Amino acid sequence: MHCCAKTLNFKSPTPFHHEPFSTFPQNPKLPFSISRPLPRSHCSVFSRAKLRVEIPLPKHSLNPYSSSLNGSTSVHDANSKGVALKAVDVSTLGNLCVDVVLNVPTLPPANKEDRKAYMDRLAASEPDKRFWEAGGNCNVAIAAARLGLNCVAIGHVGNEIYGRFLLDVLRNEGIGFVGVNEDNDFPESSAASHETLLCWVLVDSLQRHGFCSRADFSKDPAFSWLGILSAEVKMAIKNSKILFCNGYGFDELPPGIIVSALEYAIEVGTAIFFDPGPRGKSLSAGTPEEQDALNHLLTKSDVILLTADEAETLTGIDNPILAGQQLLKQAVRTKWVIVKMGSKGSILITTSSIAFVPAFKVDVVDTVGCGDSFVSAIAFGFINGLPMVNTLSIANAVGAATAMGCGAGRNVASLEKVVQLMRESNFNYDDMFWEELFDVNLDVQEVTILSKMATKGSNNRLICVSSESVVSELLPIFEPQLLEGKSSILKEQMEVQ
């Protein structure tokens, strides 16, 4: 099977092996296969009380204003100069949660009241810690950190066992944390509203997924008590090259807070990445505040990432390229619209060009976290000014590498697996698919496609870039990091002995 990114829409179930919760006895199995994270010597950790921003740029950073390679286009404007000087590569906004992954006999019922009762039964006793995993935007941050980017997670984490677990995971992966509230800024409200958000990731006997959390059963965001952006959050945004947010952030943060973060990021020259995800549909029909916030994000983000289905939902256009172009026409600041097409690959659309890269052929185990991992690689290419086909190639590799493991969090793509996939270069070429996809009036100056060999079409409008040349340019970026990471791990092991 093949994989590229989020929401692969496989009709047949995929194997997903986790040790079950004690309520549903089955044969015990290890819940996760956790690879040891690469050491992060160049980043610091942020405390909840004080933000430190003295983080040097990663050693691998490229010149973001260098000319495009192999004829493919990269996008940078005057604002990129400000972005390049910032110390943090990627900050994520909200959507920090602990996933509790359980095998269950049946998935939660559709009825809201029955579903709530089902979740309450699960939460009646604390699940074994072996079933916990960092979730939500932790996936983006962890995958980005493993590519060598400096990352900060902005959000709310409660002062209880789940919150401490989440902070330990972030710390061990070398990811900073900034709380969305001041330490003494909690209002008088229920203790539950300050707890770390749990997401129950449920897998039935047919390996189908079901998700539920307390945010599903309230009209208000989980942390509706938040009113303003703290000074620490503003400092984190100001010192970040990219601020990433997604539709699930609305489950936690009030729309006003999200808009405030967006406007402040624009003010201080921080690029905005937005992935509406499945929540895009409900937000477009939500409260006036939600609709306004969604409109802000769709028109003012620098990069929009979504699946083909999500693009059609938001635009009413079934062709993903035309849908992406429509989003660009409606936008004010957007430079890239990226459409993830699962086993077919991914497309990057600008006002003047289009790039398409096929997916890697891999044995898919679990698609959870693929889209989040994909985002991290797009951020890497955007920051470093890589050609569009190179950026998509990395993203497809990271998404595919994540799909080869079980679950997300610490199980997202390792750099070693990403490099291995790029070395093998086993792409899912489908000439008929992209010929049909591009058989419309696209009104662009350049179309670049990753293929088996490099060619140029009539009037140099269609450019086929060979996968061999792209891989030969990407491997020198990542292989030294991989060797450095292995040397550091070996050194640590020797010191322990």
Side-chain angles (χ1 to χ4, degrees), residues 319-356:
N319 183 294
I321 297 177
L322 297 180
Q325 290 180 326
Q326 180 61 33
L327 289 170
L328 285 170
K329 291 176 183 177
Q330 298 171 353
V332 177
R333 303 177 67 254
T334 306
K335 303 169 182 63
W336 292 355
V337 172
I338 297 172
V339 183
K340 300 168 285 185
M341 305 185 66
S343 63
K344 297 298 184 182
S346 56
I347 304 170
L348 197 161
I349 305 156
T350 77
T351 55
S352 61
S353 62
I354 298 169
F356 171 72

Side-chain angles (χ1 to χ4, degrees), residues 247-303:
Y248 291 115
F250 286 84
D251 293 340
E252 300 179 11
L253 305 177
I257 287 288
I258 295 175
V259 171
S260 294
L262 171 74
E263 296 292 353
Y264 185 73
I266 294 172
E267 178 184 336
V268 297
T270 296
I272 301 155
F273 277 41
F274 177 53
D275 186 341
R279 290 285 277 116
K281 182 177 182 179
S282 59
L283 290 172
S284 62
T287 66
E289 293 77 13
E290 289 176 334
Q291 293 182 38
D292 179 66
L294 177 64
N295 182 63
H296 270 73
L297 287 163
L298 289 176
T299 59
K300 295 185 178 180
S301 295
D302 295 80
V303 177

Side-chain angles (χ1 to χ4, degrees), residues 28-70:
K29 295 180 180 179
L30 289 176
F32 301 106
S33 174
I34 302 173
S35 60
R36 184 172 183 177
L38 295 177
R40 304 278 294 133
S41 58
H42 60 267
C43 79
S44 62
V45 176
F46 295 91
S47 68
R48 296 185 64 180
K50 185 175 181 181
L51 174 65
R52 301 209 313 268
V53 294
E54 298 84 7
I55 303 180
L57 290 174
K59 297 177 182 179
H60 65 263
S61 290
L62 306 176
N63 179 0
Y65 316 110
S66 60
S67 59
S68 300
L69 303 175
N70 63 37

Side-chain angles (χ1 to χ4, degrees), residues 451-488:
S451 65
K452 296 179 181 179
M453 59 185 68
T455 60
K456 282 192 176 183
S458 59
N459 299 322
N460 295 330
R461 181 173 178 269
L462 175 62
I463 302 173
C464 293
V465 180
S466 74
S467 55
E468 182 179 357
S469 66
V470 169
V471 171
S472 67
E473 291 164 3
L474 291 177
L475 287 179
I477 298 175
F478 294 105
E479 286 179 328
Q481 292 184 66
L482 186 60
L483 293 174
E484 181 182 351
K486 289 181 177 179
S487 298
S488 298

Side-chain angles (χ1 to χ4, degrees), residues 206-420:
L206 296 178
Q207 308 302 330
R208 295 174 301 187
H209 295 75
F211 305 88
C212 58
S213 74
R214 74 170 189 267
D216 299 333
F217 307 100
S218 173
K219 294 182 180 179
D220 297 322
F223 310 133
S224 57
W225 41 264
L226 282 168
I228 60 174
L229 295 177
S230 70
E232 289 186 356
V233 170
K234 286 188 174 181
M235 181 64 73
I237 294 174
K238 183 177 182 179
N239 284 280
S240 299
K241 299 174 186 177
I242 291 172
L243 177 67
F244 172 74
C245 53
N246 61 18
Y248 291 115
F250 286 84
D251 293 340
E252 300 179 11
L253 305 177
I257 287 288
I258 295 175
V259 171
S260 294
L262 171 74
E263 296 292 353
Y264 185 73
I266 294 172
E267 178 184 336
V268 297
T270 296
I272 301 155
F273 277 41
F274 177 53
D275 186 341
R279 290 285 277 116
K281 182 177 182 179
S282 59
L283 290 172
S284 62
T287 66
E289 293 77 13
E290 289 176 334
Q291 293 182 38
D292 179 66
L294 177 64
N295 182 63
H296 270 73
L297 287 163
L298 289 176
T299 59
K300 295 185 178 180
S301 295
D302 295 80
V303 177
I304 298 173
L305 306 102
L306 64 181
T307 66
D309 290 341
E310 292 161 1
E312 182 177 359
T313 296
L314 292 173
T315 64
I317 302 173
D318 60 359
N319 183 294
I321 297 177
L322 297 180
Q325 290 180 326
Q326 180 61 33
L327 289 170
L328 285 170
K329 291 176 183 177
Q330 298 171 353
V332 177
R333 303 177 67 254
T334 306
K335 303 169 182 63
W336 292 355
V337 172
I338 297 172
V339 183
K340 300 168 285 185
M341 305 185 66
S343 63
K344 297 298 184 182
S346 56
I347 304 170
L348 197 161
I349 305 156
T350 77
T351 55
S352 61
S353 62
I354 298 169
F356 171 72
V357 173
F360 287 83
K361 293 181 180 179
V362 298
D363 293 324
V364 175
V365 175
D366 180 21
T367 61
V368 173
C370 292
D372 297 328
S373 303
F374 182 95
V375 171
S376 68
I378 296 297
F380 183 94
F382 184 89
I383 289 171
N384 289 308
L386 298 183
M388 295 197 301
V389 289
N390 294 33
T391 297
L392 290 179
S393 297
I394 301 171
N396 288 0
V398 173
T402 297
M404 297 172 70
C406 288
R410 292 165 294 180
N411 303 294
V412 298
S414 67
L415 184 59
E416 183 175 14
K417 180 62 68 175
V418 172
V419 169
Q420 178 185 339

